[in-house]
Amino acid sequence: MYQYLSLFGRSVSLYDLFDQLAIFAQAIVAVFLIRQFRAASTVYALMNLRFNKKAKNNFFWRWGSSIILVLLIAAMMFLFNNLTGDPITMLFLHKKADNFFPNIFVGPYIGLLTAILVLNSPLKTLDLITPIAEVALIFYKLSCFFWGCCYGVEWAHGMYNHNTERREFPVQLVELGCAVVMFVILMILAKRKKKHDGTLYPLFMIMYSGSRFISEFWRGDYPAVLGKMTGYHISCIVGLVEGVICLFVILRWGDRITAFFEGKYDAILKRYQKKYKGTCYRLKKNGLLPDDTPQRNKYETVEQ
């Protein structure tokens, strides 16, 4: 396993390199899904009403304002994760460890809270942040593989690990393959027009917890705490149950939640309609109102 890479005469840690590439990959996925973000955002429509009445530079406004709001959501989620991640990890693992796993437990609620604070459709926001969060997992597993952490059990036919000085089963590559498959599935579902809003995150929780529960038997970096099960096995069980419950709630009441938000969205836009007469028509004409919301058609005749 190679831990360092010589780049422009400097020795670069592959662990840090792939961590940085994870952020870059998340930005690419966010841009790819940014149209869904605009469709879910009340703030985006209000910003258009207030600051873009003449509808100039639509392309730069559309992308610039969307990216700013996406970064705001990312910053808020990062803050909330740091506030809640360590207690969750300590509770289940009794030590500070993998900071990705707490996101399984607190991620959905952080996403919902953040969406509410910035007037986004909560369930649509969950669908947006899920592939963005999941793509980072691919690069994290590459970091672990090259650095030699999160290693597998000892295996005579495995790969040599400089950290442990033994041959081990390359469990990081197994988890990497699972992460790639999960990302492809989530991206396909995210781009589907007909789907239940909010189902992507609980589906990810189920897939990740299930695959990690199996791969954990091949890992040797944490001791068993209950028979052959480690603390991560227990975390996986909790994550799997939580994912199933969240999926049931969303499938059962998700349409009502989305309809409730759409009603609030419509009420807010109507409140500002008189103040900015004619703007809604121009927004619709120039594609600045979301394509897949009922509000778009309601303002077709507002032009004065």
Side-chain angles (χ1 to χ4, degrees):
M1 298 179 183
Y2 298 94
Q3 295 182 325
Y4 294 93
L5 176 69
S6 180
L7 192 65
F8 302 111
R10 298 180 59 184
S11 182
V12 178
S13 165
L14 286 175
Y15 188 93
D16 294 335
L17 176 62
F18 282 113
D19 272 5
Q20 298 302 316
L21 288 176
I23 299 175
F24 181 70
Q26 287 181 301
I28 293 177
V29 175
V31 170
F32 190 69
L33 297 176
I34 210 162
R35 186 173 182 178
Q36 281 94 317
F37 173 81
R38 291 198 297 266
S41 176
T42 305
V43 172
Y44 175 76
L46 291 176
M47 289 170 64
N48 283 322
L49 288 172
R50 178 63 182 87
F51 299 110
N52 199 35
K53 290 187 288 185
K54 296 182 179 180
K56 292 182 179 180
N57 300 321
N58 291 340
F59 175 83
F60 297 102
W61 172 262
R62 188 163 58 245
W63 284 91
S65 58
S66 298
I67 290 174
I68 289 173
L69 289 172
V70 168
L71 291 176
L72 174 62
I73 287 182
M76 294 175 69
M77 292 192 65
F78 178 79
L79 174 63
F80 291 144
N81 271 335
N82 283 335
L83 293 176
T84 57
D86 287 348
I88 293 293
T89 307
M90 294 283 289
L91 175 64
F92 288 98
L93 301 178
H94 309 296
K95 61 189 300 185
K96 186 174 181 179
D98 184 353
N99 63 353
F100 192 86
F101 219 92
N103 296 343
I104 295 295
F105 301 100
V106 301
Y109 313 109
I110 290 175
L112 291 174
L113 175 60
T114 304
I116 293 171
L117 290 177
V118 297
L119 299 179
N120 266 35
S121 177
L123 298 185
K124 287 182 179 180
T125 302
L126 276 182
D127 286 341
L128 172 73
I129 65 176
T130 300
I132 297 175
E134 207 288 326
V135 71
L137 181 62
I138 297 174
F139 291 88
Y140 292 161
K141 292 305 175 184
L142 284 170
S143 297
C144 294
F145 173 72
F146 285 106
W147 192 252
C149 60
C150 304
Y151 49 84
V153 295
E154 190 171 4
W155 187 38
H157 305 288
M159 301 186 68
Y160 182 76
N161 189 337
H162 295 283
N163 290 340
T164 59
E165 298 182 346
R166 65 179 190 177
R167 291 190 173 274
E168 298 164 346
F169 180 77
V171 68
Q172 304 99 323
L173 297 182
V174 174
E175 295 179 344
L176 171 63
C178 292
V180 171
V181 171
M182 287 187 289
F183 175 71
V184 172
I185 293 174
L186 292 173
M187 286 299 293
I188 292 174
L189 294 177
K191 298 300 292 183
R192 288 183 61 184
K193 293 184 178 180
K194 294 183 179 181
K195 65 177 186 299
H196 288 279
D197 294 333
T199 55
L200 263 61
Y201 208 105
L203 180 61
F204 166 64
M205 293 168 66
I206 293 171
M207 292 190 298
Y208 180 67
S209 297
S211 62
R212 179 62 184 270
F213 182 86
I214 297 174
S215 67
E216 190 67 19
F217 286 108
W218 300 327
R219 289 180 60 155
D221 52 338
Y222 282 95
V225 296
L226 184 63
K228 293 184 178 181
M229 294 197 303
T230 66
Y232 274 107
H233 279 116
I234 300 173
S235 298
C236 286
I237 294 173
V238 176
L240 185 63
V241 172
E242 183 181 350
V244 171
I245 294 174
C246 289
L247 184 61
F248 172 78
V249 170
I250 290 173
L251 290 176
R252 183 68 177 83
W253 294 288
D255 291 340
R256 296 182 184 180
I257 296 173
T258 300
F260 175 81
F261 172 80
E262 295 292 353
K264 296 296 183 181
Y265 179 108
D266 190 39
I268 293 173
L269 289 183
K270 281 185 176 180
R271 187 180 307 169
Y272 285 86
Q273 179 182 355
K274 293 182 179 180
K275 187 175 182 179
Y276 303 112
K277 289 181 179 180
T279 305
C280 292
Y281 176 84
R282 285 191 291 272
L283 292 179
K284 180 262 178 186
K285 183 178 179 181
N286 290 282
L288 292 175
L289 280 180
D291 290 329
D292 59 346
T293 59
Q295 288 75 21
R296 184 181 177 93
N297 295 326
K298 292 181 180 180
Y299 298 113
E300 290 184 0
T301 59
V302 178
E303 180 71 3
Q304 301 297 317

